[in-house]
Amino acid sequence: MTTGRPPVVRRAPGKLFVAGEYAVVEPGNPAILVAVDRHVTATVTEPAEAGVVISSDLTAAPVRWLRRGDRLDPVGVADADRARRELAHVLAAVRTVTRLLAEHGRPAPDLSIAISSTMHENGVKFGLGSSGAVTVATVAAVAAHAGLALSAEERYRLALLASAELDPKGSGGDLAASTWGGWIAYRAPDRTAVLDLARRHGVAGALAAPWPGFAVRRLPPPAGLALEVGWTGTPASTTDLVSGLHRKAWRGTASHRRFVAATTDCVRATAEALERGDRHGLLATVRRARRELARLDEEAGIGIFTPALTALCDAAEAVGGAAKPSGAGGGDCGIALLETADAGPAGPAVSTEDTAHTGATGASPDIDHLRERWTAAGVRPLALRPATEGNEE
């Protein structure tokens, strides 16, 4: 029965990888990400009947789930497996928070969860990390509804435990960007070790224990550069691409070691350029990141670069910018950094947040030319800005 309590609303931004893709799936390897202002919103209220009722703008109708021990089983659904697939990340988030409540002697709450997202259009996702964002938003909303006061790192850790339950190969970089927002340097924890911690010591124990390999810190936004994002029109599966690479027995090879070393050095140089406000150095490291991904693609043959992503990168280079696929490639989005009109000859002047997609101060003819070239190549410019805030109400 409902009690008239106000709804709890939490939202989480999407993400783009700036550098470190593929290498970051190995524990302790670094990457740089930026959160973007497309969000997933989770709204939690008390349901009219027992169980967990989940509705989403990506599913046809609300689905009611009843608890069977640690399981959540759908009620009155013709295709239960499809329902589990479509709502897998929401269900994993609910289970993880419920386990934490149980460890504190709290009963599993009845919930009504409504999910909405601006990371897709007519059901087609843009590749901005919607799975990570929905996990972070759901964890935060359910925890807040239950009265749990959690730090940002605890929310991230709960989301990582939920995500690793579904796919331990995922780095969790999307979860970190969705949690902290802005530009971040991130190192992935050992997900196998983290899941083992939770099995041996419970969720609360896993929240309190050190996580091997994990680190996150904020970085300043690039000054004097605009972040442009292009969508290829072709959705891609990060899980399939990363799994394909591992099926080729790439890990442990000389190629793997060289790629990880080169990518780690590239991420380090990118972070230093951001911290110094060195826009020319940053452009150089983004170009280098593109070359490293291209070399990996050539050696491993996993399909990172599609014709559209290559055209996206070439168009940015043609107008003096730097560009690369963002994430696993194979479709989805690419990013470009271009100097703004008022960057000045000597260094930083305005941040990406001040210039991207405003069409006013900081806009440059090169940005207009880039968007025209992208459109002609079948790449859709997306009106995205960095999201300075992470998981928020």
Side-chain angles (χ1 to χ4, degrees):
M1 295 292 293
T2 59
T3 62
R5 290 174 55 187
V8 174
V9 182
R10 296 291 184 270
R11 68 175 192 162
K15 64 85 181 88
L16 291 165
F17 269 92
V18 178
E21 298 93 336
Y22 285 100
V24 72
V25 300
E26 304 291 340
N29 288 344
I32 294 173
L33 300 96
V34 58
V36 294
D37 63 348
R38 296 289 182 100
H39 294 82
V40 170
T41 301
T43 302
V44 176
T45 57
E46 295 187 12
E49 51 190 338
V52 177
V53 178
I54 304 174
S55 60
S56 167
D57 56 6
L58 285 175
T59 57
V63 179
R64 180 174 170 234
W65 303 77
L66 292 179
R67 291 186 173 86
R68 305 279 190 260
D70 196 38
R71 286 173 55 87
L72 285 165
D73 291 330
V75 177
V77 174
D79 190 341
D81 288 339
R82 178 178 178 181
R84 287 192 180 92
R85 288 194 303 272
E86 290 178 336
L87 297 171
H89 292 87
V90 178
L91 293 169
V94 171
R95 283 194 300 268
T96 303
V97 176
T98 299
R99 288 169 188 155
L100 179 61
L101 290 171
E103 290 171 13
H104 290 300
R106 303 268 301 277
D110 293 330
L111 304 164
S112 178
I113 305 172
I115 303 295
S116 62
S117 172
T118 58
M119 294 191 202
H120 64 86
E121 190 171 277
N122 298 321
V124 179
K125 298 179 181 180
F126 293 124
L128 300 173
S130 58
S131 296
V134 75
T135 306
V136 170
T138 303
V139 162
V142 173
H145 178 81
L148 293 175
L150 301 175
S151 67
E153 183 166 328
E154 287 170 329
R155 295 196 304 273
Y156 156 81
R157 286 185 176 220
L158 285 171
L160 193 283
L161 288 170
S163 294
E165 172 189 314
L166 301 175
D167 178 19
K169 293 185 293 297
S171 72
D174 52 352
L175 307 172
S178 291
T179 299
W180 279 279
W183 297 71
I184 62 168
Y186 172 77
R187 292 179 184 267
D190 184 328
R191 279 80 72 200
T192 301
V194 165
L195 289 172
D196 186 58
L197 274 173
R199 281 191 292 267
R200 290 186 293 112
H201 303 292
V203 175
L207 294 185
W211 279 16
F214 168 67
V216 64
R217 64 186 174 93
R218 287 187 175 275
L219 294 169
L225 293 174
L227 173 69
E228 293 290 311
V229 183
W231 183 54
T232 64
T234 304
S237 170
T238 298
T239 299
D240 290 347
L241 286 159
V242 172
S243 297
L245 185 61
H246 284 261
R247 283 195 297 271
K248 293 176 180 292
W250 178 66
R251 294 171 69 178
T253 65
S255 173
H256 171 216
R257 292 191 295 271
R258 188 212 58 77
F259 173 76
V260 169
T263 300
T264 298
D265 186 63
C266 185
V267 171
R268 176 195 56 76
T270 300
E272 290 177 354
L274 284 166
E275 290 169 332
R276 291 195 309 266
D278 178 5
R279 69 176 187 271
H280 296 127
L282 182 57
L283 291 172
T285 62
V286 170
R287 294 181 185 119
R288 180 183 174 191
R290 176 193 177 182
R291 292 195 299 271
E292 293 302 331
L293 285 174
R295 185 175 292 114
L296 169 64
D297 205 17
E298 181 179 353
E299 293 174 353
I302 56 178
I304 297 173
F305 280 85
T306 64
L309 280 172
T310 299
L312 180 153
C313 295
D314 290 345
E317 295 276 354
V319 296
K324 57 180 286 295
S326 177
D332 285 340
C333 292
I335 61 168
L337 291 173
L338 290 87
E339 290 189 356
T340 58
D342 45 5
V350 259
S351 71
T352 300
E353 283 85 349
D354 296 326
T355 62
H357 306 291
T358 62
T361 302
S364 75
D366 287 342
I367 294 173
D368 292 335
H369 293 159
L370 174 64
R371 295 173 185 172
E372 291 169 1
R373 286 172 178 262
W374 278 357
T375 301
V379 173
R380 175 179 167 183
L382 295 181
L384 298 178
R385 290 162 58 97
T388 57
E389 300 296 330
N391 175 226
E392 57 183 324
E393 185 170 349

